[in-house]
Amino acid sequence: MSVNWQDSPPLGNKKSHRTGINRRAEVSIARNHRNLRLSRHGQTTMMKKTPILAAVALAAFAGMAHAGTTTFQAINTPDGQVLAGQNGQTLYTYDKDANHQSVCYGSCAKEWLPYLANSSAQPFAHYSFVVRKDGQRQWALNGEPLYFRSADKKTGDITGQNADHGNWQVARPAA
């Protein structure tokens, strides 16, 4: 947080044009009020509270980043560019899912792991959530729930493409 003092007269023993008090006294008061100090460039900056505020801002930004652009990534595979989760593994859609609703539970969900959102995640652009029967939020692309395949072991694996007679498809990055 900065306050620019450009409209104030230069420092020195001159009296302030607004208050009639000594300018050095004004600076001293500002320095002692809420841990402020006057820099050489004529700006007042916060001293002691800045590290705490920076840490809070960083934590908030990290949560937003997780919910935003780093939650998904586009990766190159032999089948072209596909959508991957934060862990780099390919994401899939299931043709039998209803729009905004997953039908993959039990043994299906053991092989096709739902891409679950953490509690602070927020929907954005084409990405939203479907609520599973157990109340967990699962990421969705254009309303289609997203899944990982348990057989995919490394970034770029696409072992689930066209599985189950073509009902499973790799998800493509939103345009």
Side-chain angles (χ1 to χ4, degrees):
M1 176 180 167
S2 306
V3 178
N4 194 337
W5 288 37
Q6 291 175 348
D7 62 337
S8 298
L11 293 176
N13 288 325
K14 297 180 182 177
K15 294 200 174 213
S16 171
H17 66 285
R18 283 182 272 165
T19 61
I21 63 172
N22 183 297
R23 187 72 182 138
R24 280 192 187 180
E26 222 174 12
V27 171
S28 177
I29 292 168
R31 183 176 359 139
N32 293 323
H33 183 69
R34 293 189 182 168
N35 302 317
L36 298 173
R37 69 174 170 81
L38 184 66
S39 74
R40 287 188 292 171
H41 302 291
Q43 292 185 345
T44 302
T45 56
M46 293 185 74
M47 286 175 49
K48 293 181 182 176
K49 293 182 182 176
T50 301
I52 295 169
L53 293 174
V56 169
L58 182 60
F61 179 74
M64 288 176 18
H66 176 74
T69 56
T70 60
T71 303
F72 298 97
Q73 54 186 307
I75 58 170
N76 293 318
T77 70
D79 193 43
Q81 204 171 54
V82 299
L83 185 66
Q86 187 174 15
N87 61 5
Q89 292 197 330
T90 303
L91 289 165
Y92 297 88
T93 59
Y94 188 37
D95 290 345
K96 292 183 179 180
D97 279 342
N99 200 20
H100 302 284
Q101 184 178 8
S102 173
V103 296
C104 183
Y105 292 92
S107 61
C108 176
K110 288 181 181 171
E111 184 174 348
W112 300 92
L113 309 169
Y115 187 21
L116 301 176
N118 69 29
S119 62
S120 65
Q122 296 294 317
F124 63 99
H126 300 277
Y127 302 96
S128 60
F129 306 115
V130 296
V131 178
R132 297 185 58 77
K133 290 178 183 177
D134 62 4
Q136 292 182 304
R137 298 182 310 161
Q138 179 178 354
W139 280 108
L141 172 62
N142 297 322
E144 295 183 71
L146 295 169
Y147 303 86
F148 296 111
R149 180 143 198 229
S150 61
D152 287 351
K153 299 300 179 196
K154 64 183 187 320
T155 299
D157 281 353
I158 53 171
T159 64
Q161 176 65 350
N162 293 317
D164 187 26
H165 308 290
N167 284 313
W168 290 95
Q169 305 295 322
V170 295
R172 304 288 177 181

